[in-house]
Amino acid sequence: MTTRKGKSLYRDICIGRLVFYRGRREVQRREAADAGEELRRFEEAVAMAKSQLHRLYERSVQTVGEANAAIFQVQELLLEDGEYLRAVKQGIAEGRSYAEYAVWEAGQRIAGKLRALEDDYIRERDQDILDVTDRLLGALAREQRAEAAEEPFILAARDLLPSQVVQLSAYPVQGLALGGGRFHSHTAILARSMGIPVLMQLGEDLEENWEGKTAAIDGFEGVLYLDPDEGMLEKLEEKKREAGRRRKALEGLKGKENITRGGQSVKLYANAGSLVDVEEACANDAGGIGLLRSELLYLESPSAPGEEQQFSFYRQVLERMGEKEVVIRTFDIGADKMPPWLCVQAEENPALGLKSIRLGLERPQLLKTQLRALYRAGVSGNLRIMYPMITSVEEVLQLKQIEEQVQRELAREGIPYARKIPTGIMIETPAAAVLADLLAEEVDFFSVGTNDLTQYTLALDRQNEALERFADPDNKAVLRLVEFTVKCAHRAGIWAGVCGELAADTAFTEAFLRMGVDELSVSPGMVLELREKIREL
Ligand code: PEP
Ligand code: MG
């Protein structure tokens, strides 16, 4: 039995087979002895990859919907015929390469050619070619890809990008073991929202030859076990049962109010990024959606999501939530949440760069498409629109102009839309917090994003795990800014919530309530635990 200590993101236990996520690889050229044999291996790999993609498509339709699952159909088509297959076969037959090299070389060459094209849509297909290349290399090595597994498994990886975490919902993943990662990174937030045990910071040297071994994650202690012995398995099974009993006990709080013993009540909402999360929010009796991270749709899509695709997604969310409030945040993309199709120049400091609302103001057409979809969907429920990463009153005034333009266009086109949608902003930069009195005059609500507010206030990169020891466990600076924000909001007669990860930390619930925070929005799995805490105060 081997053990590794890490940082736990979710308190639960899982036991299963370990599958290692390898990511992109490089292949060196080697000459093949028998081209016929290499061609046969290649044909077999194509068949295996096609059947994996087909299965993946069918599973994703159920979890992320037709539009987002289409990416797997596109990739399957690449394996039907065409330039890519011809190039590989030529590499084997004429170049006398072994199949792995011919696949890799053709993939790199065609992806490079696509990247050089003018047309944005075609250029973005380079990612599909690279993905298919990787899948074929896996098939040639006869690896069982994650999605081929019918049984739930534990996924191990050195690290994952937020966009990779988003795609995991298509797989039967029951736990995540990551070598690196930071607690407040988007990867961590998305992984936590999956409601499964997740360990981070297990060490750079996670070993790929652990593949296929039995593993267990103890999310209470933050420990990964490999080949756990009988005694440990029994202990973990008992702990798992105990966790189940605790969850059952929390279920008794469904339908109860979020009210302290002293009679102070607070709205308790859920953060979400997908329809699956929205279902989880309902299952956990959240009072609404306090933060819908719309950018997940942008990360999942093979190209910029169009108005109809967005409209359909927002409408489904609003209809599911009925009369309950739904706060949809406009796309918060850029920096670590970079969709493969978005072409922006490489930056020295992406977290301080062209991202989030800045991208929306810089490329208004991208924002207008989203606002059109939101205004149209607004007739189907209780929608609020929220803008991320605001730093000045001028930005809010510019956004109001864009809103007016969008509404005028919809009216001119005779398209039904909701006329009065309350709009708010995230307070997640020190500038916004310091200007809260002035900003409160311009918007209908505030929601404090403590993840970024911490990053920007403490000048502490939320992606950099080496900085963890410089984080202030008491969050004194951030709490002062939250208090000031709430005060300014109330003076102006608007409400203020908290939707960063700090909202779910029960060590701070009392402080937030003392400040008069009106709403706490947390990952769906934390709603009932927080309700329990509030009712104890
Ligand atoms: C935050 O910054 O606290 C927040 C809620 O937004 P995100 O974590 O998506 O950046
Ligand atoms: Mg943020």
Side-chain angles (χ1 to χ4, degrees):
M1 178 168 84
T2 312
T3 59
R4 275 288 171 98
K5 188 98 181 100
K7 253 203 151 102
S8 172
L9 298 187
Y10 195 82
R11 291 160 66 77
D12 203 351
I13 308 271
C14 67
I15 302 167
R17 196 169 60 84
L18 198 108
V19 171
F20 209 94
Y21 179 87
R22 286 180 174 76
R24 301 237 154 102
R25 44 196 133 190
E26 274 207 21
V27 180
Q28 301 301 323
R29 176 162 161 63
R30 225 179 346 115
E31 205 158 289
D34 179 353
E37 169 61 12
E38 295 305 301
L39 274 176
R40 192 196 56 72
R41 287 181 62 229
F42 174 60
E43 301 286 0
E44 242 178 59
V46 169
M48 186 169 166
K50 270 164 65 175
S51 98
Q52 286 172 356
L53 283 164
H54 190 71
R55 201 179 320 198
L56 199 46
Y57 169 74
E58 289 191 329
R59 206 177 275 159
S60 319
V61 169
Q62 314 286 328
T63 51
V64 293
E66 183 83 41
N68 292 321
I71 183 171
F72 301 117
Q73 264 185 332
V74 169
Q75 295 189 359
E76 202 182 330
L77 273 179
L78 288 173
L79 293 173
E80 288 297 331
D81 193 13
E83 186 184 1
Y84 181 60
L85 288 200
R86 275 197 303 279
V88 178
K89 287 181 185 163
Q90 213 171 11
I92 296 175
E94 293 168 23
R96 303 196 60 74
S97 305
Y98 74 129
E100 278 82 350
Y101 182 75
V103 163
W104 182 79
E105 197 275 335
Q108 298 299 312
R109 191 156 38 84
I110 296 174
K113 240 163 76 181
L114 289 175
R115 271 196 297 275
L117 294 178
E118 284 285 306
D119 183 314
D120 277 355
Y121 182 78
I122 299 180
R123 201 168 48 210
E124 288 147 16
R125 300 281 71 76
D126 71 325
Q127 292 299 319
D128 293 318
I129 293 280
L130 293 176
D131 268 0
V132 165
T133 300
D134 230 47
R135 185 173 297 282
L136 284 171
L137 290 174
L140 282 164
R142 306 206 70 73
E143 277 164 14
Q144 278 305 314
R145 296 276 301 213
E147 61 272 22
E150 292 294 346
E151 294 291 311
F153 60 89
I154 296 174
L155 188 76
R158 301 238 150 73
D159 207 352
L160 290 174
L161 296 169
S163 56
Q164 290 166 329
V165 180
V166 168
Q167 292 193 14
L168 289 183
S169 58
Y171 309 122
V173 181
Q174 58 165 342
L176 256 184
L178 301 178
R182 267 208 69 190
F183 208 64
H184 293 306
S185 66
H186 288 109
T187 294
I189 291 167
L190 294 173
R192 190 178 295 125
S193 77
M194 291 169 72
I196 55 172
V198 181
L199 296 182
M200 302 188 106
Q201 300 177 14
L202 288 161
E204 287 296 295
D205 51 343
L206 284 192
E207 288 169 39
E208 295 189 8
N209 63 8
W210 292 348
E211 173 95 33
K213 293 197 177 200
T214 301
I217 292 179
D218 180 343
F220 294 92
E221 303 298 329
V223 179
L224 170 73
Y225 296 92
L226 272 159
D227 288 331
D229 56 37
E230 276 303 307
M232 182 49 73
L233 275 176
E234 252 169 54
K235 248 196 221 158
L236 290 170
E237 291 285 5
E238 176 46 33
K239 239 177 160 174
K240 194 169 152 78
R241 282 192 289 274
E242 176 56 34
R245 285 194 286 272
R246 161 101 179 113
R247 265 198 306 277
K248 265 228 132 44
L250 283 176
E251 299 220 333
L253 290 172
K254 285 185 188 170
K256 300 242 161 86
E257 284 181 279
N258 314 305
I259 191 163
T260 64
R261 289 169 202 261
Q264 184 181 356
S265 64
V266 60
K267 291 191 282 188
L268 190 42
Y269 288 3
N271 296 343
S274 64
L275 288 172
V276 176
D277 293 347
V278 171
E279 278 310 317
E280 277 293 297
C282 294
N284 284 284
D285 197 29
I289 300 291
L291 167 65
L292 187 110
R293 290 183 163 97
S294 70
E295 61 272 13
L296 300 199
L297 188 67
Y298 289 64
L299 290 176
E300 277 170 356
S301 301
S303 52
E307 181 179 324
E308 290 310 315
Q309 183 186 352
Q310 295 195 48
F311 169 63
S312 145
F313 173 57
Y314 305 143
R315 195 180 56 185
Q316 286 178 73
V317 173
L318 287 162
E319 283 176 353
R320 179 66 185 95
M321 294 306 292
E323 289 179 355
K324 293 180 176 171
E325 272 183 311
V326 175
V327 180
I328 300 186
R329 172 172 81 182
T330 59
F331 57 79
D332 186 32
I333 49 179
D336 62 316
K337 286 188 282 191
M338 190 65 84
W341 46 265
L342 187 73
C343 298
V344 291
Q345 277 204 322
E347 294 173 306
E348 289 264 327
N349 292 303
L352 305 179
L354 185 60
K355 64 181 280 251
S356 197
I357 203 61
R358 295 176 182 169
L359 259 173
L361 291 170
E362 192 75 8
R363 301 189 190 178
Q365 203 44 53
L366 210 55
L367 184 59
K368 275 184 171 175
T369 302
Q370 180 166 39
L371 288 175
R372 280 177 67 98
L374 284 168
Y375 277 113
R376 286 174 57 198
V379 295
S380 305
N382 195 356
L383 173 64
R384 274 113 187 82
I385 296 175
M386 176 159 76
Y387 298 109
M389 214 197 166
I390 294 295
T391 56
S392 70
V393 174
E394 287 67 32
E395 284 166 351
V396 175
L397 298 179
Q398 282 176 49
L399 288 165
K400 283 186 178 177
Q401 279 181 5
I402 296 178
E403 283 171 3
E404 278 163 21
Q405 277 172 24
V406 166
Q407 294 200 31
R408 269 202 308 275
E409 278 170 26
L410 287 169
R412 205 169 42 234
E413 292 164 34
I415 297 175
Y417 69 95
R419 273 148 222 274
K420 288 237 170 307
I421 296 181
T423 52
I425 56 171
M426 293 204 57
I427 302 291
E428 54 181 351
T429 64
V434 169
L435 296 174
D437 53 339
L438 303 179
L439 289 164
E441 299 297 330
E442 301 295 338
V443 298
D444 299 307
F445 64 91
F446 287 155
S447 186
V448 184
T450 52
N451 309 331
D452 277 317
L453 191 57
T454 305
Q455 149 162 280
Y456 295 126
T457 303
L458 303 189
L460 200 69
D461 180 356
R462 66 194 268 196
Q463 295 295 114
N464 186 343
E465 63 204 78
L467 300 177
E468 197 97 341
R469 75 187 182 93
F470 296 105
D472 170 14
D474 298 328
N475 291 283
K476 290 184 289 293
V478 170
L479 288 181
R480 280 192 184 191
L481 292 177
V482 178
E483 187 164 21
F484 181 69
T485 300
V486 176
K487 215 179 262 170
C488 295
H490 290 175
R491 251 189 242 136
I494 64 171
W495 62 266
V498 179
C499 64
E501 295 302 289
L502 217 55
D505 189 334
T506 49
F508 295 96
T509 314
E510 196 172 355
F512 286 140
L513 291 185
R514 205 175 326 110
M515 292 174 196
V517 167
D518 302 285
E519 174 241 33
L520 292 166
S521 192
V522 298
S523 63
M526 278 303 295
V527 168
L528 293 174
E529 204 155 323
L530 199 53
R531 178 170 296 161
E532 182 185 61
K533 175 72 189 182
I534 293 165
R535 293 172 65 85
E536 280 166 10
L537 290 173

